Amino acid sequence: MTYEFLQHYWWFVVSLLGALLVFLLFVQGANSVARSLGYTEEGRRLVYNSTGRKWEFTFTTLVTFGGAFFASFPLFYSTSFGGAYWLWMIILFTFVLQAVSYEFQNKIGNFLGPRTFQFFLVLNGIMGPLLLGGAVATFFEGSNFIIAKDNMIDAASLTPVISRWANASHGLDALLNPWVLVFGLSVVFLARILGILYVMNNVADDDVRSRGSSRLIGSAVPFLILFVAYLVHLLLKDGYAYNAEGVIFIEPYKYLHNFLEMWYLLVLLLIGVGLVLYAIGKEIANRESGNSRSIWPAGIGTVLVVLALLLCAGWNGTAYYPSTAGLQSSLTIRNSCSSEFTLRTMFYVSLLVPFVLAYIVYCWRAIDKKKLTRDELHY
């Protein structure tokens, strides 16, 4: 295990966690359309009860994703989480609102009323995927930060800070880039697609399922338009590359070159897109079916697509976090990673991950052993 191998390995682990997080955003997606899926109060409660059994998986994966980044690529953590803190604070705040809303929306003595907390769930269902998608888009579009490692060894420096944001917006300026919004909105509609498919698989209620197909079409069309538009933009845009000396430079069609040179990522991308389209088409064609399982091909496809995109952003000599304020401040898996000792030690710890995943699968199956019906609302 060379240092270079460990750098690539940990970028793969972080990318896989990011891909799983995007899949688990089906919780936010279902909540954002809960009022249209569940037209009645009981229907909405069924949707919220269904997603309420899974929101911990999403939140835990978000925290694990951040922790893995902190341990393996600490310079990114300090730059993005420390510099773009307004963006990340809004994301975390909406997730906290989600947790509080699940707990208190139907509590006796809730003076705000259930609708207030249901509004918070919808807010998280829209803002969470939008801002997380926007944060991922900055891996390709860049962010406005400066890296100054010399500050750590400058005895005259009163504030030995390695990285700082180049403006006062602290991350919110990314939303002024229209392509960041395009990618963020595509994640919003993808989350809705996954949420609708999950509810149709998890809730045994004809009234809720009868609306699923039409809502699915209403989310699938804008998703496909936005995603295809951004993918074409990504393949045609200039990218940030670095040479053997670590010097960063602009390379035309960098991401297109990455997919052609790392053909296996292109295969993953195409298979993933195919699985998502298959799941959508299958659900629309079998709208009367009472045994929907389309969430699984759609979920697997989502993981493959996001994994391919994130690996394309960091592998093959690519700067995964470009700086629009200073080209040489851009972060790569080489200049932002932990020490070899740290990465090697964590490698052995990561061998326990399959056991953790097995436990998650076991818990998931136990929770979903019985589909939700209106009967449980009266217990």
Side-chain angles (χ1 to χ4, degrees):
M1 290 188 296
T2 63
Y3 196 18
E4 182 179 4
F5 166 80
L6 291 169
Q7 292 165 354
H8 284 77
Y9 171 80
W10 277 103
W11 183 254
F12 171 81
V13 172
V14 168
S15 299
L16 181 59
L17 288 171
L20 291 172
L21 175 61
V22 173
F23 161 61
L24 291 170
L25 289 178
F26 71 78
V27 173
Q28 280 64 38
N31 287 342
S32 69
V33 294
R35 299 189 68 83
S36 58
L37 276 180
Y39 190 72
T40 64
E41 184 62 32
E42 285 191 336
R44 287 192 291 271
R45 285 188 61 187
L46 275 175
V47 175
Y48 292 133
N49 283 8
S50 176
T51 59
R53 297 181 174 191
K54 297 295 191 304
W55 74 268
E56 294 96 336
F57 290 105
T58 309
F59 192 81
T60 302
T61 305
L62 175 62
V63 174
T64 305
F65 173 73
F69 243 134
F70 171 73
S72 52
F73 301 98
L75 188 52
F76 168 82
Y77 189 90
S78 64
T79 301
S80 182
F81 289 80
Y85 56 79
W86 281 122
L87 179 65
W88 290 106
M89 285 297 291
I90 294 174
I91 292 173
L92 292 176
F93 179 70
T94 62
F95 274 88
V96 171
L97 281 181
Q98 177 200 51
V100 172
S101 299
Y102 277 125
E103 181 68 24
F104 291 102
Q105 63 174 310
N106 293 312
K107 286 282 188 180
I108 297 176
N110 169 21
F111 67 93
L112 293 176
R115 289 183 179 274
T116 300
F117 290 106
Q118 290 173 4
F119 168 76
F120 290 155
L121 291 175
V122 174
L123 181 66
N124 170 254
I126 297 174
M127 296 303 295
L130 175 64
L131 296 179
L132 283 172
V136 172
T138 60
F139 287 178
F140 304 103
E141 304 301 325
S143 293
N144 202 8
F145 63 91
I146 296 292
I147 301 294
K149 292 185 178 181
D150 292 342
N151 284 351
M152 295 300 294
I153 58 176
D154 184 2
S157 176
L158 299 177
T159 57
V161 177
I162 296 180
S163 58
R164 61 178 177 85
W165 218 250
N167 57 43
S169 68
H170 293 289
L172 295 181
D173 55 304
L175 300 178
L176 299 177
N177 185 331
W179 287 112
V180 170
L181 290 177
V182 167
F183 191 82
L185 287 171
S186 70
V187 175
V188 171
F189 286 107
L190 175 61
R192 288 189 171 190
I193 292 170
L194 296 172
I196 293 169
L197 294 177
Y198 172 76
V199 170
M200 295 179 72
N201 175 68
N202 188 245
V203 176
D205 185 81
D206 293 336
D207 185 53
V208 173
R209 283 177 170 168
S210 65
R211 294 179 176 81
S213 296
S214 59
R215 302 302 182 273
L216 188 60
I217 295 174
S219 297
V221 172
F223 164 70
L224 291 175
I225 293 174
L226 292 167
F227 180 74
V228 171
Y230 188 80
L231 188 60
V232 171
H233 160 74
L234 179 66
L235 296 178
L236 298 180
K237 77 184 297 292
D238 295 341
Y240 294 72
Y242 63 93
N243 57 26
E245 289 73 35
V247 178
I248 299 166
F249 59 94
I250 301 294
E251 179 181 328
Y253 307 109
K254 173 59 177 174
Y255 301 106
L256 175 61
H257 294 162
N258 281 359
F259 277 118
L260 294 177
E261 293 170 13
M262 298 183 290
W263 57 267
Y264 44 88
L265 295 186
L266 180 60
V267 172
L268 283 182
L269 179 70
L270 295 177
I271 293 176
V273 171
L275 285 173
V276 173
L277 294 177
Y278 165 77
I280 295 172
K282 177 176 178 292
E283 196 59 50
I284 294 175
N286 301 310
R287 62 176 63 191
E288 302 299 329
S289 174
N291 188 27
S292 170
R293 296 185 179 275
S294 299
I295 179 62
W296 300 119
I300 295 171
T302 297
V303 171
L304 294 181
V305 169
V306 178
L307 179 62
L309 289 175
L310 291 178
L311 291 179
C312 177
W315 282 1
N316 198 39
T318 310
Y320 70 83
Y321 201 46
S323 171
T324 57
L327 184 62
Q328 299 309 315
S329 292
S330 302
L331 300 185
T332 69
I333 62 173
R334 180 194 294 183
N335 67 16
S336 65
C337 66
S338 296
S339 66
E340 182 175 0
F341 173 79
T342 301
L343 295 183
R344 186 181 300 273
T345 302
M346 292 194 305
F347 170 83
Y348 295 113
V349 175
S350 71
L351 298 179
L352 298 175
V353 169
F355 298 97
V356 177
L357 292 177
Y359 177 73
I360 291 174
V361 171
Y362 170 79
C363 293
W364 188 296
R365 290 176 61 88
I367 293 172
D368 281 356
K369 200 170 186 179
K370 183 180 178 181
K371 296 185 183 298
L372 298 182
T373 65
R374 292 178 185 259
D375 294 337
E376 81 158 25
L377 299 179
H378 305 292
Y379 289 153

